[in-house]
Amino acid sequence: MPAEAVLAALASSREGLSGAEVKRRLQQVGPNALLSHGARPLAVLLRQLRNPLLILLVAAALTSFFVGEGTDAAIILAIICLSIGLGFFNEYRSERAVEALHSQLRHTALAMRAGKPTPIDVTELVPGDVVRIGVGDVVPADLRLLQAEGLECDEAVLSGESLPAVKQAGEVIAPDSPLDLAACGFMGTVVRDGSGLGVVVRTGGETEFGAIALRLGDRQPQTAFQLGLQSFSLLLVRVTAVLAGSILVLNILIGRSVLGSVLFALAIAVGLTPQLLPAIVTISLSTGARRLAQRSVIVKRLVAIEDLGNIEVFFTDKTGTLTDGQITFSAALDPDGVSSDAVLRAGLLCNEASFADGQVVGGNQLDQALWAAPNAHEVGVADSRPLASRPFDYQRRLSSVLVADRDDHRQVIVKGAPEIVLSRCRGVTPAARQVLDRQFAAGSRVIAVATRAADGQTDLAPGDERDLELAGFLSFLDRPKADASEALERLKRLGVEVKVITGDNDRVAQKVCADLDLPVLGTLVGTELDRLDDEQLAAALPRTTIFARVTPEQKSRVIKAQHQLGSTVGFLGDGVNDAVALHDADVGISVQTATDVAKDAADIVLLDKDLGILAGGVVEGRRIFANTIKYVLMGTSSNFGNMFSAGGASLFLSFLPMLPTQILLNNLLYDVSEMMIPTDNVDEEALLRPAHWDTGLIRRFMTFFGPISSIFDFATFGIMIWGFGAGATLFRSGWFVESLATQSLVIFAIRTHRVPFFRSRASKPLTISTFLCVGIGVLLPFSPLAGVLGFTALPASFLAALVAMICLYLVLIELGKRRFYRLQGEGRPIARPGPPRERRIHHRASRWSIPGRPRGRSKAATLQAAAAAPSVLP
């Protein structure tokens, strides 16, 4: 359809819609939303139930119930409810905190409202809205273009095509596919070049991008943390199957009842399973999310917190991270270094800032800073009018404009990176280069301005940006952040190597690094980087700190090369030229003030661009992993030892060493005692470097410390049988108390590489919960519940012997721990997943998110809306 016919069908115009009309249409068609960032209790509850470890517990509970073992079923049910309840409570509380912060994230579009360009939230767009788009914008809805000036859109997220699609405003006859529409801009695609004006024709789930995002649903690619949990779960399944299966078969072979053997084997399987691992992980991540939320850090997914702690090499841009980010105009200088209003005037004429009611409302920071110059409105800008322009892009690193003065004398003005502009100028003097060098040495950001006469010219072509006359330089200041040096030092102590990757001049970057005491091992500029093959680049990375004048493709190449060296790579960027690198990094980080495409590509968004906040996030990620792995190592080693002992004892005793009910009760008390692990203190040295899941380490830990636990179990068996002549009930009571005490108290040794209690103390909540549960276990044989649970009172002499044995056990564990870690090599990280296309779609879809459930429309609903209001939808 012709553009004007589309406007007529939508009852709109190039002036856009009125506020009242927008409100009416928004009520009719719903928000332009794909996702919800609200905390939904039912969804959180369902996530707790999607845990394979619960299947084993449910199977055991059902079996116990149907064979009449109601006590067993009740205990297993208590374990299930505790795990689900604690996981739900903490994750829901965390989501509420994240929801409050997420609501502060705004993704805006520049829409025409009653003829005025107005920044509005993308979720408030309706069919008929007229929207301006420019370089770096993510197209906010499906648009029919009304104007297109050199407009090119990256549509890889829809089509997979790497080359940008050229756009135009004329109608398209018989397209090959629904995406082969040069007159349309599609939601989710990125403007790579030029600018345009378009009218919204589809929003939300009715767009091409929305349909893909909704089909993907909430399915997200797994992170390294999730892959580690999955790998650990598989190890656990194998161990449980072998040990429980063997015990079942052997007990049947020696003549025990099939039903009793099945229940005992199920209890062993449950005993081997760290049932509260999901709750421990959720509590740890939720606690971390709340702490980060208090520091104005938005984590798009909880599991990204742990990956943040794994960062080993961190690439950051310069502006706003190492500097204040408050770019101010400093001076306009001619080629001799003299202040010049003519150079300022040329910079203001070749300018892409957007205005509303006489105020700057958009555009890049440098262009906005020019208009903030004290004499910006006194240099005669109004005496000239623009005739044509070529917007800035990151390939040319230039922008240009054709202007005419009152006498219709025409001139091309080109503004951009100094080395690019100077290379296109004739007769650049040594004095001009010295002026530029002095500005760079002072740490100033510099833009060069050049001109050429163009009388009689009506349009701009690439050739018009050559054979220029240097007009001068525009200088800007962006001072180093006062607290950046302290943050850099903290990251260094955490073992994070910081590298600067910037599109700015290398000398400016070196000056900023020197001011912040960041050691510079070496510098590579974009032209030098292009001359290196992948092998040479990989060799250069360890001795390079600054990458300057780099293109988006070069940023991506550097990050991929660093990744190939085996490093976990973090990248902080906020510009359109950072989006590809944000996707390629293991952890992409952006800021609230970033361009839309950068925020969409990031895993984590900072509401304040502060390296100190980032350093806190790294510590939080490592603390979470350290506490999670404490539970895993302790549970698998002590559980394995105790269950191995139970299985072995069942083969030579005339009775089961512990009833299934007692095994499950023992496990419940043990797990409750460890619920406070997420609150535990973490030794400083454990935070100084990243740690990764290593199932080999877990397996070695289990087979090293498990037998130590079994040795003391069998010692208890000997004392009970030969020392006290114990029958079945006394034997079970004694071993119940001993196994609970040893496997609970061992946390104080395993939680640290240091000497426990003296050089490393557990948190008060963990200490209290552990001793409380051990105390309950000791008192149960003396309580009124003893008969129901199959216990009997223990002799005082046995309790005395038990104290001595526990002390000896902890000493032996401490000696074994030192030997184990002395012999233990570094664990290998698991293979990290690459950034698939689905990850990009999920990230980008998050910008069309509203609190609560989005009112998505089906095709039928759209047709009904069209029938009810034909003037709204074509």
Side-chain angles (χ1 to χ4, degrees), residues 47-169:
R47 280 200 293 276
Q48 310 311 310
L49 299 176
R50 287 202 306 262
N51 173 9
L53 292 179
L54 291 178
I55 297 174
L56 184 61
L57 291 171
V58 171
L62 290 175
T63 303
S64 299
F65 178 77
F66 284 118
V67 299
E69 297 291 340
T71 305
D72 286 13
I75 293 174
I76 299 174
L77 184 62
I79 294 173
I80 293 172
C81 292
L82 184 65
S83 179
I84 293 174
L86 287 169
F88 170 82
F89 173 76
N90 283 278
E91 186 171 344
Y92 182 67
R93 186 169 64 159
S94 173
E95 284 205 1
R96 290 291 300 272
V98 173
E99 176 188 358
L101 266 186
H102 199 302
S103 297
Q104 299 180 38
L105 269 182
R106 290 204 70 208
H107 299 281
T108 59
L110 197 61
M112 301 296 294
R113 291 284 167 88
K116 294 181 180 180
T118 307
I120 65 163
D121 195 288
V122 294
T123 62
E124 296 174 8
L125 288 176
V126 295
D129 259 326
V130 175
V131 178
R132 291 188 184 277
I133 53 175
V135 173
D137 290 342
V138 177
V139 180
D142 279 0
L143 308 178
R144 171 63 166 89
L145 295 173
L146 307 175
Q147 295 174 7
E149 298 177 6
L151 184 62
E152 295 183 3
C153 292
D154 179 354
E155 297 182 346
V157 72
L158 295 178
S159 65
E161 277 294 327
S162 57
L163 294 177
V166 178
K167 299 295 180 178
Q168 47 89 16

Side-chain angles (χ1 to χ4, degrees), residues 263-287:
L263 288 174
F264 185 67
L266 272 175
I268 293 293
V270 172
L272 278 171
T273 306
Q275 294 93 342
L276 294 187
L277 176 60
I280 293 286
V281 171
T282 301
I283 292 170
S284 296
L285 293 174
S286 301
T287 302

Side-chain angles (χ1 to χ4, degrees), residues 30 37 112 264 367 390 421 496 630 713 739 746 832:
H37 59 258
M112 301 296 294
F264 185 67
D367 282 344
R390 296 192 73 211
V421 173
V496 178
K630 286 176 191 176
D713 287 334
S739 65
V746 77
R832 302 183 188 89

Side-chain angles (χ1 to χ4, degrees), residues 387 402-404 408-411 453-459:
L387 302 176
L402 174 66
V403 298
D408 204 32
H409 292 306
R410 303 189 176 192
Q411 185 183 48
D455 284 341
Q457 193 168 318
T458 59
D459 204 355

Side-chain angles (χ1 to χ4, degrees), residues 336-364:
D336 295 322
V338 179
S339 181
S340 170
D341 285 348
V343 176
L344 175 59
R345 176 178 176 275
L348 291 169
L349 287 170
C350 185
N351 194 292
E352 297 177 29
S354 303
F355 291 84
D357 297 326
Q359 300 295 319
V360 177
V361 295
N364 69 64

Side-chain angles (χ1 to χ4, degrees), residues 104-341:
Q104 299 180 38
L105 269 182
R106 290 204 70 208
H107 299 281
T108 59
L110 197 61
M112 301 296 294
R113 291 284 167 88
K116 294 181 180 180
T118 307
I120 65 163
D121 195 288
V122 294
T123 62
E124 296 174 8
L125 288 176
V126 295
D129 259 326
V130 175
V131 178
R132 291 188 184 277
I133 53 175
V135 173
D137 290 342
V138 177
V139 180
D142 279 0
L143 308 178
R144 171 63 166 89
L145 295 173
L146 307 175
Q147 295 174 7
E149 298 177 6
L151 184 62
E152 295 183 3
C153 292
D154 179 354
E155 297 182 346
V157 72
L158 295 178
S159 65
E161 277 294 327
S162 57
L163 294 177
V166 178
K167 299 295 180 178
Q168 47 89 16
E171 58 264 33
V172 178
I173 308 300
D176 293 332
S177 78
L179 295 179
D180 188 23
L181 294 171
C184 292
F186 295 103
M187 174 195 268
T189 62
V190 180
V191 179
R192 288 298 180 201
D193 200 2
S195 60
L197 185 74
V199 60
V200 175
V201 295
R202 285 179 178 170
T203 58
E206 295 306 308
T207 63
E208 296 291 338
F209 176 80
I212 295 173
L214 294 177
R215 279 200 302 271
L216 288 177
D218 291 330
R219 187 178 71 253
Q220 298 255 10
Q222 288 186 307
T223 67
F225 183 64
Q226 290 169 309
L227 289 174
L229 280 173
Q230 187 180 70
S231 176
F232 166 67
S233 297
L234 290 174
L235 168 68
L236 210 58
V237 166
R238 289 194 294 267
V239 172
T240 301
V242 170
L243 189 56
S246 300
I247 289 171
L248 172 63
V249 172
L250 291 173
N251 272 275
I252 292 174
L253 290 177
I254 62 176
R256 293 217 168 95
S257 71
V258 174
L259 179 59
S261 299
V262 168
L263 288 174
F264 185 67
L266 272 175
I268 293 293
V270 172
L272 278 171
T273 306
Q275 294 93 342
L276 294 187
L277 176 60
I280 293 286
V281 171
T282 301
I283 292 170
S284 296
L285 293 174
S286 301
T287 302
R290 288 196 302 274
R291 289 181 180 179
L292 290 177
Q294 292 167 359
R295 299 171 186 169
S296 298
V297 179
I298 297 176
V299 182
K300 290 186 177 179
R301 284 194 294 163
L302 284 179
V303 289
I305 300 173
E306 197 276 338
D307 288 335
L308 180 61
N310 285 341
I311 293 177
E312 296 163 299
V313 179
F314 178 65
F315 290 90
T316 178
D317 61 353
K318 175 178 63 66
T319 304
T321 309
L322 303 180
T323 64
D324 285 329
Q326 301 297 322
I327 297 176
T328 56
F329 173 70
S330 174
L333 307 173
D334 67 13
D336 295 322
V338 179
S339 181
S340 170
D341 285 348

Side-chain angles (χ1 to χ4, degrees), residues 1 5-13 17 20-30 125-129 142 199-203 857 861-874:
M1 296 171 64
V6 176
L7 284 170
L10 289 163
S12 184
S13 71
L17 302 171
E21 180 62 16
V22 168
K23 187 177 294 185
R24 187 181 73 82
R25 297 190 183 194
L26 196 59
Q27 289 178 342
Q28 255 185 357
V29 302
L125 288 176
V126 295
D129 259 326
D142 279 0
V199 60
V200 175
V201 295
R202 285 179 178 170
T203 58
R857 292 175 288 143
T862 302
L863 293 174
Q864 290 171 2
S871 63
V872 174
L873 295 171

